[in-house]
Amino acid sequence: MHSDASMQLNVVAIRALTTEITEYRFARPDGGVLPEFTPGAHITVTTPAGANRRYSLVNAGDEPREYVIAVKRERVSRGGSRSMHEDVVMGMSLDVTPPENSFPLESASRYLLIAGGIGVTPILAMSRALAERGAHFEVIYCTRSEELTAYADELRALAGTRLTIHHDQGDPTRVFDFWDHFATPSTTHVYCCGPKPLMEEIKAISGHWSAQQIHFEDFKPVEVTRAVDQSFEVCVASTGQIFQVPDTRSILETLRSAGVRVPSSCESGTCGSCRMQLVAGEVEHRDYVLVGPERESYIMVCVSRGRDRITVDFE
C-alpha cells in the first residue's frame, strides 16, 4: 500500500533479456508523460502477489513516457521476483511509485562504473547519461556467463573500448581482479551495484580512498531473514488464526501468502507502513522505526521476528 502519490501504470511491453532476466515497460493508460528522473533512480512496484519491490530504472528520465525496469528471477525468492515473472502479463495495471534516487551521479572528472549481474540496470542508465555528456567513464560488468549477460550490446554501443565484460563461470577463483583500478587513489568517482560479495569486495579494496568517492546501490537496508533464524508461530488476535512463519520468510510474507492483507511499502524496516500491535510474546526488533517503549506495544512485521509464538493484531 503506497501513498496517494503512487500511480496505476499499465504493462505495455515484456521482453526476455536472458533466461533469468526479463524487462518490463510501464506507461500511463493515456500514454502521457510520467514524472522525470535522473540516472540511478528507482521505482517501487507492487507485484501481483502484493509484495513491494524496488527496481532501478534503465531508460532516460527526461519527459519519459515509459518506465523501464529489468527483473531477475531469484532462485530463492521471497515472492517479489517470482510474482513478476509468473504473474505479470501484458496490459496488467500495477501500482508504481514516482521515481526516487538514492544513488545519484555526482559531478566528477572521471567515473568508474561497476556492475554485477542484475546490478547492471542503474549502471546502464548512468553510462547513457555520461556518454551523452562526453564524460570520461569506464565500465566493468561482471556476470556468470555470456548467456546471462543482459544489456551487453547496449553497453558496448555506449562505452566501446571503455567496457570490460568479465565472466567467472561461477568459479570463485576466476573473479575479476579490481586491484589495478584501486591501487592508487585518484579523483575518480566509483559507482557499484551488484550482489553483496561484489560490493563487499569494492568496499574492502577502496578502503584507502575517500569514502565520498565510492557509491553503492543497495536495496536491502536490513536483512529480512538471516542464517540463524528459526521458525515460530504468529497468532492474529482478532481472528484467532495461527500461522507458522518459516526461517526463510518474514511475518508479512507469511500472512500475505495466506491471504491476510497487511499494509506495506518499503519491506525493509524503514517506513513504518506494516506496523501491527504486539499483543503478547517475545520479539526481536529489526526495524529502524520503533523506539523505546513503542517496541513493547508494536512490531514491524516486514523484518522483525518472534520467538516460539507471538500474538499480533491490526491497529
Side-chain angles (χ1 to χ4, degrees):
M1 182 178 294
H2 295 300
S3 68
D4 292 338
S6 62
M7 305 167 285
Q8 287 290 313
L9 301 183
N10 292 342
V11 179
V12 296
I14 301 174
R15 177 169 69 111
L17 302 178
T18 73
T19 56
E20 296 181 348
I21 300 173
T22 300
E23 181 186 85
Y24 301 87
R25 292 176 178 261
F26 299 90
R28 291 187 187 276
D30 62 5
V33 176
L34 294 160
E36 295 188 346
F37 59 92
T38 52
H42 67 269
I43 55 175
T44 300
V45 179
T46 302
T47 72
N52 297 310
R53 295 292 183 265
R54 300 178 186 180
Y55 298 110
S56 294
L57 288 158
V58 176
N59 57 314
D62 298 330
E63 297 187 354
R65 292 184 180 273
E66 293 182 334
Y67 288 155
V68 184
I69 64 171
V71 181
K72 178 183 177 182
R73 178 161 187 153
E74 301 292 346
R75 289 185 175 87
V76 182
S77 173
R78 292 168 44 216
S81 71
R82 182 172 61 246
S83 181
M84 289 294 293
H85 279 258
E86 294 181 1
D87 303 332
V88 174
V89 296
M90 282 286 295
M92 177 178 283
S93 178
L94 294 178
D95 189 46
V96 178
T97 65
E100 301 177 74
N101 199 340
S102 56
F103 191 46
L105 272 175
E106 297 183 8
S107 178
S109 58
R110 291 181 178 273
Y111 299 85
L112 173 59
L113 310 180
I114 301 174
I118 191 60
V120 71
T121 49
I123 299 304
L124 175 58
M126 290 179 174
S127 299
R128 183 182 298 108
L130 293 174
E132 290 175 355
R133 295 180 201 171
H136 295 282
F137 73 100
E138 181 180 352
V139 182
I140 301 174
Y141 182 15
C142 301
T143 68
R144 181 180 294 265
S145 65
E146 181 178 356
E147 294 75 25
L148 300 178
T149 304
Y151 296 122
D153 291 341
E154 289 87 341
L155 279 171
R156 289 189 183 101
L158 291 169
T161 58
R162 297 169 293 180
L163 169 67
T164 299
I165 297 180
H166 178 80
H167 307 306
D168 62 20
Q169 306 301 327
D171 183 349
T173 66
R174 298 177 62 179
V175 296
F176 187 80
D177 185 357
F178 290 96
W179 178 245
D180 287 346
H181 292 80
F182 290 92
T184 304
S186 69
T187 58
T188 298
H189 273 241
V190 179
Y191 290 81
C192 177
C193 185
K196 188 175 181 180
L198 172 66
M199 293 198 289
E200 289 180 343
E201 167 68 12
I202 300 304
K203 287 178 184 177
I205 206 170
S206 64
H208 56 303
W209 286 51
S210 168
Q212 284 70 39
Q213 292 175 236
I214 314 296
H215 312 270
F216 297 95
E217 176 66 293
D218 185 359
F219 288 151
K220 297 179 180 178
V222 296
E223 294 177 298
V224 175
T225 60
R226 302 172 185 172
V228 297
D229 286 342
Q230 297 182 358
S231 63
F232 61 96
E233 290 184 341
V234 59
C235 174
V236 179
S238 56
T239 65
Q241 294 171 290
I242 299 174
F243 304 96
Q244 187 74 27
V245 181
D247 57 357
T248 57
R249 306 191 80 184
S250 67
I251 300 172
L252 175 64
E253 291 162 346
T254 301
L255 295 177
R256 178 188 290 143
S257 65
V260 179
R261 304 295 290 186
V262 180
S264 66
S265 183
C266 74
E267 302 195 12
S268 59
T270 59
C271 76
S273 297
C274 69
R275 187 174 78 169
M276 296 187 74
Q277 292 182 19
L278 176 59
V279 179
E282 187 178 355
V283 168
E284 179 185 353
H285 292 282
R286 296 181 179 176
D287 66 275
Y288 289 119
V289 180
L290 298 175
V291 294
E294 292 178 326
R295 294 195 163 199
E296 298 177 7
S297 303
Y298 299 99
I299 178 174
M300 296 301 174
V301 295
C302 68
V303 291
S304 297
R305 301 187 69 79
R307 293 189 176 91
D308 299 325
R309 177 191 282 198
I310 63 171
T311 302
V312 301
D313 211 349
F314 298 97
E315 292 194 80

